[in-house]
């Protein structure tokens, strides 16, 4: 299918699933332990994945490449990043994305929920990604999730962005 960049890939769950379906996946995470898990998961499933230990606010310096037609962020942007880091991430992601690229992003609604992510609104996403258009957004069904009670309160949403 082509190249995909998995931003904040963690243990590689989504990247491995895409690699199983024929995508050429590059996963980026700053946490070495998460990357070790991703390598092990890819090995167990028997797929190839390029994994890069890097900060998403410095993708160019990390040498992840460019021209990605598809990118995904299923839990990074809405979590630990400050507004300044989000803006840098938006610039770096824009620089490695192909014109017309698609970015899928899951973000929880902003709010204080104890140890859970701080969340991000559509406006937060649009501010950090000025070179992109939000094509659509929809709620995510989390009724089967292990932490359903907490996740339901977070009102997770899936955003699809398109690079201009």
């Amino acid at each position: 299918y082509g190249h995909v960049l998995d931003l904040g890939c963690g243990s590689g769950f989504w990247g491995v699933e895409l690699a199983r379906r024929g995508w050429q996946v590059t996963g980026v995470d700053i946490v070495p332990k998460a990357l070790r898990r991703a390598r092990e998961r890819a090995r167990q499933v028997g797929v190839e994945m390029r994994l890069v230990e890097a900060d998403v606010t410095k993708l160019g310096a990390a040498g992840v490449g460019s021209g990605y037609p598809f990118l995904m962020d299923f839990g990074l942007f809405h979590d630990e990043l400050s507004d300044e880091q989000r803006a840098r991430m938006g610039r770096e992601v824009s620089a490695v994305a192909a014109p017309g690229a698609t970015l899928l992003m899951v973000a929880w609604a902003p709010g204080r929920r104890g140890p859970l992510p701080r969340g991000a609104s559509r406006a937060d996403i649009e501010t950090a990604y000025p070179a992109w258009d939000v094509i659509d957004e929809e709620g995510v069904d989390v009724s089967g999730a292990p932490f359903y009670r907490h996740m339901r309160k977070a009102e997770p949403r899936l955003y699809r962005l398109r690079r201009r």
Side-chain angles (χ1 to χ4, degrees):
Y1 293 101
H3 294 275
V4 59
L5 183 61
D6 185 356
L7 302 156
C9 67
S11 65
F13 180 83
W14 295 111
V16 165
E17 287 303 311
L18 287 174
R20 287 182 55 214
R21 289 165 173 78
W23 288 88
Q24 295 170 301
V25 180
T26 298
V28 176
D29 207 295
I30 199 166
V31 180
K33 183 177 181 179
L35 293 170
R36 284 192 300 274
R37 285 186 187 161
R39 278 188 190 88
E40 180 60 20
R41 176 172 273 144
R43 187 194 63 72
Q44 287 175 348
V45 174
V47 297
E48 293 290 324
M49 256 179 79
R50 179 175 173 228
L51 295 165
V52 179
E53 184 178 339
D55 182 334
V56 294
T57 67
K58 300 173 184 171
L59 291 173
V64 299
S66 63
Y68 288 95
F70 181 44
L71 305 94
M72 60 185 187
D73 172 357
F74 288 170
L76 178 62
F77 183 85
H78 76 181
D79 198 354
E80 302 169 2
L81 302 179
S82 68
D83 291 340
E84 181 181 311
Q85 288 172 314
R86 287 176 173 180
R88 285 197 314 261
M89 178 182 177
R91 286 190 298 272
E92 291 290 312
V93 169
S94 297
V96 301
T102 296
L103 168 61
L104 290 182
M105 178 186 294
V106 172
W108 293 7
R112 293 182 161 256
R113 293 173 290 273
L116 299 177
R118 72 179 181 129
S121 67
R122 180 178 177 147
D124 293 331
I125 294 166
E126 290 172 332
T127 297
Y129 285 89
W132 299 70
D133 295 312
V134 176
I135 301 302
D136 52 44
E137 69 175 277
E138 60 184 67
V140 176
D141 178 10
V142 294
S143 58
F147 302 106
Y148 169 69
R149 186 174 53 126
H150 299 294
M151 291 179 71
R152 179 178 45 94
K153 293 176 186 176
E155 301 172 29
R157 303 200 58 77
L158 177 66
Y159 295 87
R160 183 168 54 121
L161 290 78
R162 176 80 28 86
R163 174 83 165 89
R164 288 188 212 113

